Amino acid sequence: MLLIKTPKWLKLLYPKLLWEANAANRCIYLTFDDGPIPIVTPFVLNILKQYNAKATFFCIGDNVRKHPEVFEQLKNEGHAIGNHTFNHLKGWKTEDNIYLDNFLQADKLLDTKLFRPPYGRIKRSQVKLLQNAKQGIQIVMWSVLSADYDVAVSPEQCLDNVIKNTKPGDIVLFHDSLKAQERMEYALPRALEYWSKEGYNFGPLAP
Ligand SMILES: [Zn+2]
């Protein structure tokens, strides 16, 4: 079953990971995983600009290597950058030393203290390794899942998932990926329109 809203027990199980952020100023934190790529990432940047919104992009190192111009664009537009490993590794299925190397490979390009484990899956031993390798690292999860990557979810359902579950301080997960494109491109502009009317603000996560 897909959990749209992260349950409290899971947050309590991993209290050192960041699940929500500061709710002051009615701020919500939009995050985009798996880019940067042409067309889809620039689409997101364009929509964010229209709503004066800043967000956080958890980038795959290999995509940054392939699309440096898209990466430059998102940095120049004032968004926060996060590390999402170099090859989108699944922590539970990856040996610790390989996971660390892949993180460090991406770190060379990204230089950020924000990290989100692909699939939200990371071993406690890997959390420790990363904390030792990078001073002040913040491992970021999410509190609201759009499920935009799920082809079984309709674009309307994806929009519903985010607008019905988001409150100030929430970290909302979208993807700037080809797989999520159809649902994300439907849901994101409509959600931003809805949230703007509700008086929300959209900020980057602080490293
Ligand atoms: Zn991912």
Side-chain angles (χ1 to χ4, degrees), residues 33-34 84 88:
D33 288 9
D34 297 356
H84 200 47
H88 208 256

Side-chain angles (χ1 to χ4, degrees), residues 103-161:
F103 164 83
L104 291 171
Q105 200 183 344
D107 184 56
K108 279 184 201 148
L109 296 174
L110 295 163
D111 189 26
T112 168
K113 288 181 175 166
L114 300 172
F115 175 75
R116 175 176 279 156
Y119 313 96
R121 290 177 181 176
I122 184 166
K123 296 181 207 165
R124 284 179 199 276
S125 54
Q126 292 164 345
V127 170
K128 281 214 180 86
L129 271 181
L130 266 48
Q131 285 170 336
N132 289 336
K134 185 97 184 173
Q135 190 93 35
I137 191 173
Q138 179 65 260
I139 298 178
V140 182
M141 304 301 271
W142 59 85
S143 51
V144 177
L145 185 68
S146 68
D148 57 356
Y149 58 86
D150 186 341
V151 293
V153 168
S154 70
E156 293 80 5
Q157 182 63 49
C158 180
L159 175 62
D160 243 41
N161 288 346

Side-chain angles (χ1 to χ4, degrees), residues 32-121:
F32 298 87
D33 288 9
D34 297 356
I37 58 170
I39 300 170
V40 184
T41 305
F43 172 91
V44 172
L45 293 174
N46 185 36
I47 296 289
L48 293 176
K49 199 182 278 174
Q50 285 175 35
Y51 288 92
N52 199 20
K54 297 295 181 219
T56 305
F57 289 80
F58 289 92
C59 299
I60 295 175
D62 200 35
N63 280 341
V64 173
R65 180 187 66 78
K66 285 189 272 194
H67 311 293
E69 69 295 343
V70 186
F71 182 60
E72 282 307 308
Q73 190 190 346
L74 77 86
K75 276 203 297 189
N76 289 341
E77 295 187 10
H79 302 290
I81 306 293
N83 184 331
H84 200 47
T85 75
F86 198 85
N87 297 109
H88 208 256
L89 296 187
K90 202 174 265 180
W92 294 355
K93 293 191 172 168
T94 307
E95 289 195 25
D96 288 359
N97 60 328
I98 292 172
Y99 198 79
L100 176 62
D101 282 352
N102 209 262
F103 164 83
L104 291 171
Q105 200 183 344
D107 184 56
K108 279 184 201 148
L109 296 174
L110 295 163
D111 189 26
T112 168
K113 288 181 175 166
L114 300 172
F115 175 75
R116 175 176 279 156
Y119 313 96
R121 290 177 181 176

Side-chain angles (χ1 to χ4, degrees), residues 18-35:
L18 186 71
W19 297 94
E20 284 168 31
N22 193 342
N25 203 20
R26 285 180 74 75
C27 197
I28 58 181
Y29 301 87
L30 305 177
T31 63
F32 298 87
D33 288 9
D34 297 356

